[in-house]
Amino acid sequence: MTSKSTYDENEERKRFAEYLNMRLAESESTSMYFINPDSEDGLVNAVADGVILNKFINLIFPGKIKESKIVMKENKSLFEKTANNELTVSAAKSLGCTLVNIGPDDLANANSTLVLGLLWQLIKKSLLVSVEATSNTLISRLKEELSGEEANSSTDWTPEQALIQWANYHLKKAGSSRVLTTFGPDTDDSEIYGVILNRIAPQFFTEENLKFMMKDQSKFLRASQIVEAATKAFAGKYSVFVSANDIVKGTSRLNFAFGVTLFNFHPFLESRKEMDERDGTDIGTPRGDRDASDSKPSAGNGKSKLGMVWVTGPENFSLKTSGQVSWFGKMGKMELQVKEKGEGNSTTMISREEIQVIPCSLWDFGFLVNAKSNAKIGNTSLADKTVCFLELEDEIKEADLKSFLESCRRFPKRET
């Protein structure tokens, strides 16, 4: 009989490998790396020489490790593997990871438990980037909406606590009596996931789906419906992280990762239906499959018309408009021009240091403007606001702009 800890490790190895593959495939410089998620030792052996972990850290936190110091040759000696892993450990410590009894030798020797422990902390930080990026906006909105001790204006929430409150807000707005305290134990019957999915992705998990699921007495069959709906909603842009068994067994790390991914998919308090009704459009309708095989992404200069620009901020400011964007690779700047009703065009310039790229739900992509930015649209400051784009004029320009934004990933320290 497989113990719970052994089951958790086996599932974590597979899900972590799938997540690393997805993230590494995002960048041309790391897309050649692939970890076999079905191999029992594939993950720990793949990261043993330090290259993949160092590349992953730099993908999420650019510039954290000097690329020139990473030993890249094929056949590395144990000394060279250890040197690479010393870079990993040093970077992980600087990111705030807890490394009790985890050293470079443990990574080089493929110690499964310790490797998974470090990798989970790095994955967790990568997932929470967008929660941290939007925490000021999210918390201020939540404190306006919620009542009681936890909503006290002097309360400081960690990103994890803000995530839990985001989930509980959606549960409350849906009329559910359920309260989430911990992903895993509280979500093993799938009800909480079902209610949230119906709020944030109703086109993939309808009210009828929710009612049908709740009639099913089998936890496994309920969980299977959640995984199926999430897989369709995420459409390969996000890792689902959990299987039906993971949900039923309450696997803590994987369920937490799934919970954060639900937030990253829809980092808003309004339901998708409420947003569609307010905007008078059906932005929740998934876009058709797109063939960008001829696109050749470049971080160079470019210019394109935007189908839609949507801006939200801590004051619940919302601007829906159209316009165009120009980007200047060598200068590291973006010029955003939007049309304002009755006001003509407004143009603002944003530097790469002010841009923090974040997942943007069913929108194509978006970024958070640093709290100290001077960028404005008309008389409205863009500081501490989220800017989302939808529908560029053509595929190649969209790929070019995404590549430019990738080059601007700085994840600046948020100051208010």
Side-chain angles (χ1 to χ4, degrees):
M1 182 176 179
T2 304
S3 68
K4 185 177 187 301
S5 60
T6 302
Y7 171 84
D8 286 359
E9 279 203 8
N10 289 339
E11 287 301 298
E12 285 177 0
R13 276 196 291 267
K14 182 173 183 177
R15 305 304 170 194
F16 290 177
E18 290 172 345
Y19 179 71
L20 283 177
N21 286 337
M22 185 190 73
R23 295 308 305 263
L24 293 170
E26 293 175 4
S27 173
E28 189 175 342
S29 64
T30 55
S31 60
M32 72 288 295
Y33 300 109
F34 178 79
I35 304 167
N36 183 356
D38 296 318
S39 170
E40 183 175 347
D41 299 319
L43 175 63
V44 291
N45 289 333
V47 303
D49 70 356
V51 173
I52 286 180
L53 283 185
N54 286 329
K55 292 288 186 178
F56 174 66
I57 290 173
N58 270 353
L59 189 66
I60 308 303
F61 303 97
K64 179 59 67 174
I65 297 171
K66 288 187 177 180
E67 294 277 344
S68 60
K69 290 187 175 182
I70 303 174
V71 180
M72 296 297 298
K73 70 179 187 179
E74 285 291 329
N75 298 314
K76 303 176 188 66
S77 66
L78 181 60
F79 174 80
E80 290 168 326
K81 292 180 181 179
T82 301
N84 277 349
N85 288 318
E86 285 175 349
L87 296 175
T88 304
V89 169
S90 177
K93 286 180 178 178
S94 72
L95 291 170
C97 294
T98 302
L99 300 180
V100 178
N101 298 323
I102 303 178
D105 292 340
D106 298 309
L107 303 181
N109 293 322
N111 184 311
S112 180
T113 300
L114 298 181
V115 168
L116 290 176
L118 172 58
L119 190 51
W120 165 241
Q121 292 185 71
L122 293 173
I123 289 175
K124 183 178 179 181
K125 286 185 177 296
S126 74
L127 292 170
L128 286 172
V129 161
S130 59
V131 182
E132 293 173 348
T134 57
S135 60
N136 284 355
T137 300
L138 179 67
I139 290 171
S140 63
R141 287 284 313 282
L142 281 168
K143 287 180 177 179
E144 288 177 4
E145 298 282 352
L146 297 173
S147 59
E149 182 179 346
E150 284 189 310
N152 188 291
S153 60
S154 63
T155 301
D156 290 326
W157 290 340
T158 64
E160 291 89 341
Q161 290 170 327
L163 173 67
I164 294 293
Q165 293 302 329
W166 169 86
N168 281 328
Y169 177 85
H170 280 288
L171 291 171
K172 180 179 178 181
K173 295 296 285 186
S176 174
S177 60
R178 296 292 297 272
V179 176
L180 176 68
T181 57
T182 308
F183 285 102
D186 292 346
T187 53
D188 64 353
D189 66 352
S190 296
E191 180 178 353
I192 287 176
Y193 287 148
V195 173
I196 293 175
L197 268 173
N198 176 244
R199 290 266 304 169
I200 69 175
Q203 68 274 36
F204 298 104
F205 199 73
T206 65
E207 291 184 11
E208 289 72 22
N209 293 146
L210 179 59
K211 291 176 182 177
F212 180 80
M213 183 195 78
M214 293 308 300
K215 290 179 181 179
D216 204 318
Q217 297 302 308
S218 167
K219 285 187 175 182
F220 178 81
L221 292 178
R222 285 186 179 187
S224 297
Q225 294 171 62
I226 294 299
V227 172
E228 181 182 0
T231 300
K232 290 179 180 178
F234 295 170
K237 295 181 179 179
Y238 303 89
S239 177
V240 177
F241 275 109
V242 289
S243 66
N245 274 328
D246 297 327
I247 293 177
V248 173
K249 289 180 177 291
T251 311
S252 58
R253 289 175 176 174
L254 297 181
N255 276 275
F256 180 85
F258 181 54
V260 183
T261 307
L262 290 173
F263 172 88
N264 288 338
F265 176 77
H266 186 88
F268 308 105
L269 295 183
E270 296 88 352
S271 69
R272 173 61 57 180
K273 183 178 179 181
E274 290 168 340
M275 293 171 67
D276 288 352
E277 289 175 348
R278 181 191 63 196
D279 294 338
T281 58
D282 188 12
I283 60 174
T285 301
R287 301 172 66 194
D289 292 337
R290 311 172 69 181
D291 181 8
S293 58
D294 294 329
S295 299
K296 296 181 179 180
S298 166
N301 302 342
K303 185 175 183 178
S304 184
K305 292 181 180 178
L306 299 169
M308 192 181 299
V309 188
W310 193 50
V311 182
T312 57
E315 307 89 358
N316 198 25
F317 165 77
S318 176
L319 170 67
K320 176 186 167 187
T321 182
S322 60
Q324 65 182 26
V325 61
S326 303
W327 54 98
F328 311 95
K330 292 181 180 179
M331 295 171 58
K333 292 182 180 293
M334 171 191 289
E335 182 181 77
L336 179 64
Q337 183 182 89
V338 299
K339 296 179 181 178
E340 295 186 276
K341 292 181 180 179
E343 300 289 338
N345 294 339
S346 291
T347 302
T348 189
M349 190 76 76
I350 312 173
S351 69
R352 68 170 56 181
E353 288 78 15
E354 298 172 290
I355 294 173
Q356 182 166 343
V357 180
I358 60 173
C360 218
S361 185
L362 289 179
W363 296 78
D364 279 328
F365 49 97
F367 59 89
L368 181 86
V369 180
N370 187 272
K372 298 195 77 174
S373 171
N374 293 318
K376 290 184 177 182
I377 291 180
N379 294 321
T380 304
S381 171
L382 288 186
D384 209 26
K385 291 184 174 64
T386 303
V387 181
C388 296
F389 296 149
L390 183 70
E391 295 282 6
L392 268 75
E393 62 180 356
D394 63 62
E395 305 289 333
I396 295 178
K397 286 290 180 65
E398 178 171 334
D400 285 342
L401 179 53
K402 287 182 179 180
S403 181
F404 168 76
L405 284 174
E406 182 72 22
S407 76
C408 292
R409 280 177 180 254
R410 290 293 183 268
F411 301 106
K413 180 179 178 182
R414 291 172 50 79
E415 300 180 60
T416 55

